[in-house]
Amino acid sequence: MKILKSIIFCLSAVLCNQLVAKDYNASLFDIRSDGATLNTRSIQKAIDHIHDKGGGRLVFSVGRYLTGTVYLKSNVTLHLKEGAVLLGSTNPLDYDIGENWNWTALVVAHEQHHIGITGQGVIDGRGYEVANNLISLINNGIFEDALLLDRPREFRRPQNIYFKKCRDIHIQGILLKDPASWNQQYEQCRNMLVEEITTDSKAYWNNDGIDIVDCDSVIIRNSYFDAADDGICLKSHSADHECSNIYIYNNTVRTSASGIKFGTASAGGFRNIRIIKNTVFNTYRSAITFASVDGAVIDNVTVDSLVSINTGNVIFLRTGTRTVRNRPCLRNIRISNVYAEVPATKPDAGYRYEGPIEDLPRNISPCIIAGIPSIPIENVTLENIEIRYPGGGNALYAKVGLDELDSVPEMENKYPEFSMFKELPAWGFYIRHAKDIRFNNVTFVAQKADYRPAVVLDDVHNAVFKKMKISIPESAHKDEIVRHRSSGIHVEP
């Protein structure tokens, strides 16, 4: 109930300001729509004027409005009508890196309130061109950058949107496409509604769909995310902050990384997260990933009504000690009403920035709950779940036998991805260093025989498996739930 009240407050606070907005046409400020005139200063003058007059909407009609970095201010909304394109400059020198943040972006806001970007128009970052022009500047000595993997660092490449320490934010309806880095980042913001947007983030590397960083009271709903990197990504950059009271509802996600993910950057925490009625498809990594590897507390997370089609992995829960700040924690996770299909082939094959062929040799990986020896993952419930696998695991290609379970590496300080362990000894679900685990009405189906059992438990304590259904042709195992160094395991009809 407390979470619902917080979300309702978020909605009312964000939408209240939209009802009284006064409109100012961009043409009033001699903002040109020819796609060639650089409008950065005139757009900024318009934003400043509307802010000084008490607020309103800066309205862009049909046309292409070329600009570099502009700063959104309190009580101002950018409204892009259908056919209007806010067009990013391809010159990296037209983008700022601010004194109070380490990122560059097309639209920036810092410590502002009641701000928004709405309409049926487009923000086009032209990221491929910007990134390659930036490489030229680096090679010419204009900027210093290590060019790791032949790419400029992420913060050097402009995002489409970067808001920091803002509140009462409304992002609605627009298409956000082709950033040079992450598409949109909201850091330490509060009371935010993102709805009915489309993201096309496949122009360059690290093209996340949306990044929510240490924010409180956020709704992301009814939107479509198509990304070269993670689709909907929650992060915690600061040990003094956390993502809390987040509601992710009725979205569709396709990515060459993970669908709905949090915890890669996990310094602070993630609490009270609701992920309801979402679809993930054609995704290279996991449909959902929750990881605490930098000391974060992950607590009270619900996933309900998830459809995962053609994804390389479905569920990946992980703790680790990549950086040692605080004691990592992942607990009180509930995942229910899931239907998923894992393919035999690479799910994102053919995409422009498809995920790398890595961590081989390994057969198709199972779902994973993997804590670390001293810190188990606690209190996880999975209910009403059906996952269909291709099966076909071949011991002549890669093998971890039931007599060598201790050989699976811990990899506590590594970047968390489901493929990090390479071959795993189960085809359906692998659980290690965990306690208080409950499976109720969970079905695993393999289309072909597999040398591995369906479920392997390693250092798991107090677990209940009720109404489990396991279907596989020509099973070589009498017991499809294998226990190793585990106690208090109950299998019930």
Side-chain angles (χ1 to χ4, degrees), residues 2-11 14 163 166-171 184-195 197 210-221 225 232-235 242-249 251 271-276:
K2 183 178 179 180
I3 298 171
L4 290 175
K5 287 181 178 179
S6 177
I7 291 170
I8 291 169
F9 176 79
C10 166
L11 274 170
V14 170
F163 291 174
C166 297
R167 62 178 174 85
D168 304 323
I169 300 163
H170 192 200
I171 309 295
Q184 50 189 321
Q185 179 183 180
Y186 307 92
E187 183 169 6
Q188 295 180 27
C189 294
R190 180 165 52 91
N191 296 343
M192 186 170 76
L193 173 61
V194 178
E195 60 180 345
I197 69 168
I210 185 170
D211 290 271
I212 305 297
V213 183
D214 290 320
C215 293
D216 180 29
S217 299
V218 177
I219 299 172
I220 304 170
R221 67 184 183 188
F225 299 89
I232 299 175
C233 190
L234 277 57
K235 298 177 182 288
E242 64 181 21
C243 281
S244 58
N245 305 316
I246 312 294
Y247 186 57
I248 301 169
Y249 174 77
N251 302 285
R271 299 179 193 264
N272 305 333
I273 315 293
R274 299 291 181 266
I275 301 169
I276 311 297

